[in-house]
Amino acid sequence: MADPQQVPAVVIALPTEIDMTNADRVGQQLRSAIAPGVRTVIADMAPTSFCDSSGINMLVRAHRQAAANGTELRLVAASPAVLRILTLTGLDQLLPIYPSLSQALAAPPAPRPDTPHK
């Protein structure tokens, strides 16, 4: 079995629009990726140009599940409209947001609260 520290990041590509018609499905994709042994899940919102409150709520629920599972949830967001809603709702304070997938993948892992410092 693979060491959980070695499991690569899981990337979930999100649609161009996230609203009440697809937020539940998108949330299920994220929640299924947040599994034991997965250290990082990246929600790739680079192509996303619209995200309404149901999408924001889905991201908050995914964050809570990730935190409970010891998984870091990262967002990739490039659209000014999406970045604005993430800032207005405070989600930018809850989740790390990167301008590109390559930057999200290259970022060092966040310190784990359950890991003793050496």
Side-chain angles (χ1 to χ4, degrees):
M1 187 167 147
D3 177 357
Q5 299 292 331
Q6 301 303 313
V7 174
V10 175
V11 179
I12 303 296
L14 301 190
T16 55
E17 294 187 0
I18 303 171
D19 57 27
M20 60 186 279
T21 64
N22 64 358
D24 285 342
R25 186 180 75 247
V26 171
Q28 284 178 321
Q29 289 177 311
L30 280 175
R31 288 189 298 276
S32 67
I34 300 168
V38 176
R39 195 73 209 258
T40 306
V41 172
I42 300 172
D44 186 359
M45 298 179 76
T48 305
S49 59
F50 177 81
C51 182
D52 74 1
S53 61
S54 55
I56 295 299
N57 287 332
M58 172 272 301
L59 289 170
V60 170
R61 287 192 305 271
H63 165 70
R64 288 182 183 145
Q65 179 188 348
N69 195 55
T71 302
E72 182 183 11
L73 178 60
R74 299 176 182 179
L75 297 182
V76 174
S79 162
V82 171
L83 289 168
R84 180 168 164 76
I85 192 71
L86 294 173
T87 302
L88 287 173
T89 59
L91 216 53
D92 63 329
Q93 301 299 310
L94 203 58
L95 297 168
I97 301 172
Y98 299 89
S100 70
L101 181 57
S102 60
Q103 287 175 299
L105 287 166
R112 294 180 68 158
D114 60 344
T115 304
H117 296 286
K118 293 183 180 178

